Amino acid sequence: MMLLAAMILAAGLMSAFHIVYAADPDPLQEFCIADLAAGPVSNGFPCKLPALATTEDFAYSGLAKPADPSRVSTGGVGTLAFVKEWPALNTQGLSLLRLDINPGGIISPHTHNLATEILYVLEGEMYTGFVTNNFGNDPTISNKLYAKVVKKGEAFIFPRGLLHFQLNKGKVLASSLNVLNSQNPGIQLMPSALFGSGIDREMLEKSFFMNATQVAALKNFFEE
Ligand SMILES: *[C@@H]1O[C@H](CO)[C@@H](O)[C@H](O)[C@H]1NC(C)=O
């Protein structure tokens, strides 16, 4: 009986670790430039014929210049170089993004459920960090914030799937180049996920101790 219980526990732990440490699968060929027109299949995109690949497929210039953060109400823009923008990432388990944030601007709290991320500050500085799980492996780090101002030339890592954010408390544009270990990291922005997705207002009122008017104002702002 004890042995059975131990085996079940071990199997459970192994599957838990398997999920925690899961990454994009290893490629089975040197490269697989995504054929985006074919649409995603069960795990990434089909490859275009290798003979049709060119040097330009492996180059990407979409992150060369800062975006204009004043075009969004948050004052912060993320420019993506995921597999849809850069098909050569298909099967390689990597992607990039660039953040450009005006003074006082933010990238709202968000998660990438499929990737760990490293941020490297190119210009300016950002207050950034992440929060651990409420119910993770270790109760001593429950719902714990790790955050600081990261300056030009410095880096910060956000563990896979955890909630994180950026705020430019500096006086000039802040920019970063971020590397993620998935071709398709997923992005879930908390404000719009909660207030822009049609969740019943009672759920939101009770979760955030807000009244109907306050919830309606936020739903109005985030719902399209
Ligand atoms: C909702 O809460 C706000 C802020 O506390 C308050 O000003 C407003 O009167 C409240 N509205 C209702 C309908 O209770």
Side-chain angles (χ1 to χ4, degrees), residues 53-117:
T54 68
T55 301
E56 288 312 311
D57 282 323
F58 298 99
Y60 189 69
S61 56
L63 303 182
K65 296 199 183 94
D68 178 11
S70 55
R71 70 180 160 83
V72 293
S73 58
T74 52
V77 174
T79 307
L80 308 183
F82 293 177
V83 68
K84 287 203 183 99
E85 292 77 28
W86 191 2
L89 300 185
N90 197 36
T91 75
Q92 300 295 335
L94 275 179
S95 59
L96 292 176
L97 62 80
R98 170 184 181 125
L99 300 180
D100 296 293
I101 312 174
N102 274 339
I106 61 163
I107 302 292
S108 308
H110 63 279
T111 61
H112 309 289
N113 61 313
L114 300 177
T116 302
E117 175 176 18

Side-chain angles (χ1 to χ4, degrees), residues 79-219:
T79 307
L80 308 183
F82 293 177
V83 68
K84 287 203 183 99
E85 292 77 28
W86 191 2
L89 300 185
N90 197 36
T91 75
Q92 300 295 335
L94 275 179
S95 59
L96 292 176
L97 62 80
R98 170 184 181 125
L99 300 180
D100 296 293
I101 312 174
N102 274 339
I106 61 163
I107 302 292
S108 308
H110 63 279
T111 61
H112 309 289
N113 61 313
L114 300 177
T116 302
E117 175 176 18
I118 287 176
L119 170 151
Y120 176 81
V121 178
L122 300 169
E123 292 296 337
E125 60 182 58
M126 303 175 185
Y127 168 73
T128 189
F130 66 89
V131 180
T132 58
N133 284 298
N134 296 80
F135 300 96
N137 277 338
D138 186 337
T140 64
I141 55 163
S142 168
N143 198 33
K144 186 163 177 185
L145 172 69
Y146 298 87
K148 65 173 288 189
V149 175
V150 184
K151 300 192 166 151
K152 179 173 178 171
E154 296 177 344
F156 203 84
I157 184 165
F158 310 108
R160 177 179 301 222
L162 295 184
L163 192 68
H164 59 282
F165 51 81
Q166 286 86 21
L167 160 65
N168 181 359
K169 281 174 171 282
K171 294 190 166 55
V172 297
L173 179 77
S175 299
S176 68
L177 183 67
N178 301 18
V179 184
L180 303 102
N181 67 344
S182 170
Q183 67 178 36
N184 176 38
I187 302 178
Q188 189 164 41
L189 291 160
M190 289 306 131
S192 50
L194 289 163
F195 293 96
S197 63
I199 294 176
D200 190 291
R201 64 173 181 80
E202 185 181 0
M203 186 73 208
L204 298 168
E205 285 171 32
K206 290 177 175 172
S207 297
F208 296 100
F209 306 99
M210 289 161 73
N211 65 35
T213 315
Q214 291 168 312
V215 167
L218 280 168
K219 275 177 157 288

